[in-house]
Every structure is written in C-alpha cells, then in structure tokens.
Amino acid sequence: MSVINSKKPKASVTLTDVAQLAGVSLATASKALNGRSQVRAETRQKVIEAAAALSFTPNPFAQALNASHTGTIGMLTSDLDNRFVLPVLLGAEDAFGSGATSVLLCDARGDAVREQHHLNTLLARRVDGIVVLGRTTNPRPSITAGVPVPVVYAYAPSDDPADTSFTPDNYTAGRQAIEHLLARGRRSIALVNGEPSYTAATDRAAGARDAMREAGLELTGGDELYGQWSESWGRQCTETLLASGRPIDAILAGSDQIARGVLEQLRETGHHVPAEVAVMGFDNWDILSATARPPLTSIDMNLQELGRAAARALSDAISGTTEPGVHRLPVRLVPRESTASVQRL
Amino acid sequence: MSVINSKKPKASVTLTDVAQLAGVSLATASKALNGRSQVRAETRQKVIEAAAALSFTPNPFAQALNASHTGTIGMLTSDLDNRFVLPVLLGAEDAFGSGATSVLLCDARGDAVREQHHLNTLLARRVDGIVVLGRTTNPRPSITAGVPVPVVYAYAPSDDPADTSFTPDNYTAGRQAIEHLLARGRRSIALVNGEPSYTAATDRAAGARDAMREAGLELTGGDELYGQWSESWGRQCTETLLASGRPIDAILAGSDQIARGVLEQLRETGHHVPAEVAVMGFDNWDILSATARPPLTSIDMNLQELGRAAARALSDAISGTTEPGVHRLPVRLVPRESTASVQRL
C-alpha cells in the first residue's frame, strides 16, 4: 500500500472520487482503505489502485496506511452523565492506558450536532480509531461510513451489522435470573420491568419468558409489567401484585432501583424476604444492591469488562484484524441474601 | 522569551541545571518558565537567562513558550470509579470541549506509580496544561514542581498553597444546612456524620457547630457523631439518638446516603418526617435524594460548575494568568419535603 502515501495529496481529491473511480460505495472505499476484513480482496485492490491513481492521501489515511500511528484513540460518549457509561469508559481507559495508547475524551451530551463536531475534532487530531460509547443498549446510527479510521461501538450497538459492536447479553441475563429463581424452588415469579422503549427491558423479558416456558410456567401477572426505572414503580407494582391475590413467591425486578422499591413494599406489608418472596434485580449497582435490606441478588452486566473488550477490538482493528457483528458479552449472577435458600414459612 | 527556543536542546541539560545556575529552587524555576504570576519579575528574568545560557529547551517548554499550543490538556484522575469524580470531569470536559481544546483522559486508580506514568505520557504528548482531579476533598501532594506546563487541582486541593486549586466550600455547606434548619424553627439538631478522616466530614461539622453556637445552641448528641458513609450508619445512629430520650427535631446527615438510613429508621419507628423530625443530607445525589420518602433536602456541591471553573482557570493559566490558592466554591441548598415547613404535631 506504500504506493499511496509516496505522493503528495491533492486537496481537491476526496474519498468520494476514489469510490467513484473504483466503482464502489463510499462506505466500501472507507473500509477497504482501513484493511477491514469484510471487504473482498479484489474490491480492496480496486480501491487501493484508485486511491493511488488519484494520489488520495489525506493525513489520517497516510497515518493509518503507514502504521505510523499517533497512539491516540477517540472515546466519543453520548452522555457522560449516565451511570452505565462510566464503568465502560473505565474499562476501556484501563485497557488503553496501561499500554501506550492515550484516550481523547469527547462527550456529545445526546446531541447529534455536538457528536459530529467532536468527530471532526478527533479526526483532525489523527486518532488511530474511535470507540463510540452509547447511553443505552438500544442500537444507534452507524458513523463508520466516511470515517477513515476503525470504529468500535460499546454498550449501544451500531445499527449496521457490518460494524463491530459490544453490548451486554440482556436476553441471557433474563434467562439466568429466572433459572436462578427456579433453582431456588420458586414457581410463581413476577417480572416487574422497566421502560418498554429500552431493549434492555424487552431483551431481559424475552429471556425470562423463554426460561419460564421451558419449565412449563408463565410469569405471574403476565410478561408486560412495564413501568419506569424507579423505586416508586417497584413499590406500586408490588402493591398491585399483592392486592391481586395471586400466589407469588419471587419478584424479578428490571433493575436494582426497581428492586429497592419492591423490597421496601414487601417489608412494609410484612412479607419476609426471602422466606416468603425472593427478590432480585439487574445491574448489580453496589450502592443499591449490596446495601439493600436484605442484600439484593443481582445480575452484574460486566460493564468494565465490556469496555476492555471494546478497547481490545479497536486495537486489533487498528492492526487490521476485525470481527464484525454485535458481540453480546456474558453477564454474571451475584447471589445475595434476597434469594437465599431458606426454610420456607 | 524567544531567545530560549531558538537553540537546539542539549539532552544533558535539565531543569535542575537551570535552577542551580539561576540560584533558585526547582519549583521556582518551573514556575518562572511557565509565566506564573507568583514569581517575581527579577527572579523570572534570572531563570530565563539561565535557561537561555544552557540552551534548555525540551519540547514542552518550547511549545509553551512559543504559544504554539497543541490544543490538548491532560485530565489526570485519581479514581474514575468514584461518583464525585464524574460530575467534575463532566463540567471540565464541557468547558474544554465546547472550545477548541481536547481532553486526554488518564486514570491513576489511586496508584502513585501509575499517576507518574500517566503524567509522563501527558507531557510526552505535549499537553498545554493538566487538571489533577482527586477523589476526596482532602489535600493531595502537589505535582507542580518539575512539570513544565500549568497545573490546576480540582476537588482535592494541592497541599502547596502556591498552586491553584478548586474545592467545594464544605465549611459553608455545614453552616448553610444548620441555618436552613434553624430558619425552619428547629432547635434540637443532631449531626450524623461520615468518616472523620475526610475533610468533607470535619469541615461540614465545623460549619455546623459554628452556626449552632451563633444561635446559642449545641448539636444534640455532641459534634462527634462520626461513623461511615453508609445507610446502615444512618439507621444505627438514629436508633441510638432516639433511644437516648433527648429531644430531637432535626437530623442533619453527613451525606444523602446516611440520610436515607436516617429516614428509614424514623419511618419504621413511626416518627413523621418532617412534622416531627426534619432531615437533610449533603451531595444532592439525585438517585438518593429526589427519590427518598419524603424527598430529601440536600446541599448540592455544584461539582459540574467546579469542573468548569477548573477548566477556565487552566485555560487562563495557559494564557499566562493565574490566581493561586485554594478556591472554595459556593454550594447550593436544594430544599425538598423532608425539611418543609409544616404544622408541628
């Protein structure tokens, strides 16, 4: 590929010109010049020849193609002021920072215009690659096309399956939670869920429902007990469930925050946890789970590990190796007293 | 100052050599070459002449003296995995990122060796300045001496008063809290505090004590009710206070987390909040304060604003203007139902 950077760039030549000459899309031209594995060898060759013919060598390309990297990567967050973002950021910073790579941090604050501004800044600074860190696990628009360096998506996966994304496996999280409660002998299990516009809520519900069906059971109160990600929703829904008179021996809450409300409502109405009703949540947010009364069993989403995995994947992509697709990473059950095996009342 | 950077650096010349030749300390030499205002003009002249005589021009100096800035600053955090760090980081990123400055993020994870490694990396990357972001408000060791670019300390102030530091005004926070409770007609006020090794706890206690004394009162239970930053300490200490039989009409908790335990204990023992006992906390951590039953009055430490102030000060310092010293920034009362004026029972 050294044919490309041996010539001076012409300011008027753009990636679009290269794509046109090669007869490929802009996205394909971008991916070809970055050594992405999902571009066929002959396509890449065409693009490289077109780039060479046009003397297409803007600086970021020259950097990437020369492997004369700047040793910096961009971390483009959607919303730093979000508790799910921090552990992912922490894991990624750890993975990069312990090596020779420095992290340029940009926060878009949920604003697409600001995101584009930051993206331009990162490219002007010749970053070797970018981690795009979303605030929810809902898919987000891909920014990969037209970006001349590798991009990896963390927490919020890209909506383009050709991109490389890392997100927690919420479906399996739902399954694991139900399997844990079933193993504790619970059969009448309700799922007090969060907001249905979040795939975190719907994916966990799908996993929970499937695990129940495989055991020949249905979720008590149905699988549509959606509400808010709040303690008050946990209290309110628990009150309704108890008032319905249906037997209930476990409540799976859509988050630790909801679970705190569930626990409080059960305690104040004289229902013993876990003897009468087992309770568990998702997220394993220590401030809520470990300090609950009783301490709350939860599913840890392994967000730091997710950040590290995204960082490693970006480093690999910068070296030319990619594994495109949405990688759903394992989660982890953290059992505590709220689902402990006890002499049933 | 252009005399300095017109010559090639000699690898063997260090800042120590410059300081020796000028007859000043290493710290003074560093400050003089950075245009710090606390160095006398004649001292600065001596240092500049010594640097010129020795052809002392490592790159970061050349950058700073040329005002050919890289437009990057280093954010050196002690512990990203700390909830007080995030809002400060957010405010600083906001202040820098909306301009032309990019933020290089490094997390030391509470490890001095790692901090030094990151510091070296930041200097090698020619940052224009560094924000050192600590995990507590306790003073931390200065890193300014020997660092050839301006440094500003946020949250944890530097132990060197010649440095520029920003930290919340915890003393006034304690005063404001007591003044609010007194204004609500409360007289028998207890302070259920956090850990005494934190200046956040001791400074707030000093402010609370002084405000009580000015009203001719003493804190109920004394001013040494130190414990842990935890809900369980809030419950336990409240139980002890109630059991003592002393009259009590308000509890000021050392943090929102402690306040949650206080509220819970009062509710479970049938004491109405705020009619019987008013309760308030510090930090205004929404997840705990706004969702409490009843919603919790708290003192917001304005950490985002603190981050922005530190960012502005660093920008000023890069331009040559500094205001050394520990700047204690105002905090803000957020009144909610837990201290509302009510018909007393």
Side-chain angles (χ1 to χ4, degrees), chain A residues 10-34 47 50-51 54 56-58 61 144-149:
Chain A
K10 289 176 189 162
S12 57
V13 177
T14 67
L15 183 60
T16 307
D17 301 325
V18 174
Q20 268 178 347
L21 183 63
V24 299
S25 71
L26 189 63
T28 302
S30 165
K31 286 171 182 176
L33 289 175
N34 279 295
V47 174
L54 294 170
F56 176 69
T57 55
F61 272 106
T144 307
V147 172
V149 293

Side-chain angles (χ1 to χ4, degrees), chain A residues 178-237:
Chain A
I178 293 294
E179 284 161 7
H180 173 68
L181 293 169
L182 292 171
R184 290 286 188 265
R186 309 298 163 140
R187 290 291 175 273
S188 305
I189 306 172
L191 170 57
V192 179
N193 213 336
E195 299 179 29
S197 61
Y198 286 68
T199 59
T202 53
D203 289 352
R204 289 168 186 172
R209 195 169 46 233
D210 287 355
M212 287 295 279
R213 286 197 181 145
E214 284 169 24
L217 299 167
E218 297 286 334
L219 286 164
T220 300
D223 45 11
E224 296 288 332
L225 294 179
Y226 289 106
Q228 296 80 48
W229 301 109
S230 69
E231 287 178 65
S232 63
W233 165 242
R235 284 197 298 268
Q236 181 195 327
C237 190

Side-chain angles (χ1 to χ4, degrees), chain B residues 99-156:
Chain B
T101 304
S102 291
V103 174
L104 280 164
L105 177 69
C106 295
D107 188 34
R109 301 200 160 203
D111 177 345
V113 173
R114 200 174 156 123
E115 180 171 288
Q116 189 57 49
H117 161 75
H118 281 316
L119 187 57
N120 294 340
T121 304
L122 289 174
L123 295 177
R125 292 203 177 277
R126 316 271 187 271
V127 291
D128 299 327
I130 296 174
V131 175
V132 175
L133 210 173
R135 66 183 298 181
T136 74
T137 59
N138 293 20
R140 57 149 290 148
S142 175
I143 62 160
T144 307
V147 171
V149 292
V151 180
V152 165
Y153 299 79
Y155 201 61

Side-chain angles (χ1 to χ4, degrees), chain B residues 295-318:
Chain B
L296 183 70
T297 297
S298 191
I299 303 274
D300 192 302
M301 307 312 285
N302 281 340
L303 296 182
Q304 282 207 34
E305 186 44 48
L306 193 148
R308 276 189 283 270
R312 282 192 298 267
L314 187 62
S315 297
D316 290 347
I318 291 167

Side-chain angles (χ1 to χ4, degrees), chain A residues 69-80:
Chain A
H69 294 146
T70 58
T72 54
I73 68 99
M75 184 87 65
L76 189 55
T77 55
S78 301
D79 182 11
L80 258 185

